[in-house]
Each structure stands twice: as C-alpha cells, then as structure tokens.
Amino acid sequence: MTLSGYIIIGTTNSFSEPEQSGNNIILFETNGEGIETAKMTYGGIYSDAGNSIINANGGGYIIVGSKGITSVNSKVYMAKIDESIFNIDFEITLGFEATDYGAGYDVVEHWGNYTIVGNKTIADKNTGCLIETDDNGNILFEQTFGGNDDQVFTSVNNTSEGGYVMVGKSGQGTNYMICLMKLNSKRVL
C-alpha cells in the first residue's frame, strides 16, 4: 500500500519498456479508488516474473520474482525501486552458483534485512530456498530445503521468536502436499 493508494505487482507480455521482450515484471500504482496512476515494467529480453512487493527500509519498494538469464533458465530476482516506481536503485539476481536457477515468491523485512523464499533447481530437482540479504541486496545467508522431491516455498512471515514460518508445497509429478516449515532465530528447524 502507498500513502494514497495501492501498489500491485505481476507479470505481463503485453506492455514493456524499450529493450524488453517476452514476459516482464509489471508494477501498477493506483489511487485510493483503484484508478491507475502509474505503471512500469522491469526485466530484460528473456521471461521475467514479479511475485511480491513490500515497502523498503528508508522508502521505496523491494520487488521479488524471477529474471530470465537464458531462454530456458531464470534466477531469483530482487530489485529496490524508488517511491516514484520509475527509478531502480539496484537490481540483482541471487544465488551463489552460476547454475542456481529458480524464483523468489515472497519477501519480508526481518530485523532491517530482507528475507526471500522461493525455489532453486539443484540436480534437476526444485528445492525450497530461503535467502537473507542486507539493504543493498548482498546475500547474508542462503539455505535450501528438500531435494528428494520438488519443494517450493511461496510465503514467508516472521515469528514472534525472531525466526520464520514458511509455506509452500512438496511432492513430485502430480502428487503434491502443503508444506509448512518453522525455523528458529538461528534458522534451524
């Protein structure tokens, strides 16, 4: 929510800025009645997706999703944009390894840092991932969960004890179950 309206994030392939193509992250700003006041797309020449947005520390917004790095692979994406939504303070793809493919689905502010959950592909399996960054997007901590089956986290929230609760799905083929995981303040189950 903005001071005078709402901010909505998603994915589009029908509106893009110069030097963008395919699917792109789109951000709409509306007034209190829901009437569009501004829109902007972010991304590149490959498919990108916008999944979550929160207010950033010190103003502006943090965007999380995925950014295509090839025609078939994407990485967890994070960007900080200013309050006008037209200027990018920084944008990065996250992952320690060059082959860390995946997507970010949700983000929360946690003790002045940002925590992102999503999935990463390791050895052709989706693993759930938790990535903590500082205000500038530098990775402070990264952990994956799962590996035998496909696992994806789609939501994260802070707990009163200083840890996290994450929700997603786990399974394989067409057989998936809801997955709920709680980590303590030391990021241990």
Side-chain angles (χ1 to χ4, degrees):
M1 191 162 154
T2 67
L3 291 176
S4 60
Y6 303 94
I7 195 148
I8 304 159
I9 191 166
T11 305
T12 183
N13 64 5
S14 60
F15 172 80
S16 61
E17 303 298 326
E19 300 186 28
Q20 295 176 348
S21 62
N23 291 333
N24 290 290
I25 298 166
I26 190 164
L27 198 64
F28 288 99
E29 191 174 56
T30 73
N31 63 19
E33 289 78 45
I35 298 169
E36 179 185 317
T37 57
K39 72 179 168 186
M40 182 71 180
T41 59
Y42 311 89
I45 61 171
Y46 300 114
S47 287
D48 310 304
N51 295 322
S52 187
I53 186 167
I54 62 170
N55 290 313
N57 299 326
Y61 304 99
I62 297 292
I63 295 172
V64 169
S66 63
K67 182 172 178 87
I69 56 170
T70 69
S71 62
V72 294
N73 292 314
S74 62
K75 289 180 91 58
V76 175
Y77 174 78
M78 175 185 188
K80 183 176 182 184
I81 59 172
D82 70 6
E83 291 174 357
S84 77
I85 77 166
F86 296 108
N87 300 305
I88 298 172
D89 293 337
F90 71 80
E91 63 179 340
I92 58 171
T93 55
L94 301 169
F96 288 126
E97 303 295 328
T99 56
D100 281 353
Y101 305 125
Y105 291 103
D106 198 13
V107 59
V108 294
E109 187 273 334
H110 186 81
W111 300 93
N113 297 316
Y114 300 106
T115 301
I116 300 164
V117 295
N119 73 294
K120 295 176 85 175
T121 302
I122 298 174
D124 295 327
K125 292 284 187 184
N126 282 323
T127 61
C129 72
L130 177 137
I131 303 169
E132 188 174 317
T133 74
D134 65 14
D135 234 8
N136 298 311
N138 298 306
I139 295 175
L140 303 173
F141 178 81
E142 181 174 15
Q143 186 172 350
T144 58
F145 303 87
N148 295 329
D149 297 323
D150 286 339
Q151 191 148 10
V152 177
F153 293 119
T154 54
S155 183
V156 62
N157 215 328
N158 297 315
T159 65
S160 59
E161 302 88 23
Y164 307 102
V165 61
M166 303 176 295
V167 176
K169 66 180 184 175
S170 181
Q172 58 186 353
T174 59
N175 188 18
Y176 283 88
M177 297 183 301
I178 293 173
C179 174
L180 172 69
M181 192 173 292
K182 182 178 178 185
L183 305 179
N184 67 21
S185 61
K186 296 180 182 179
R187 304 176 199 97
V188 176
L189 284 170

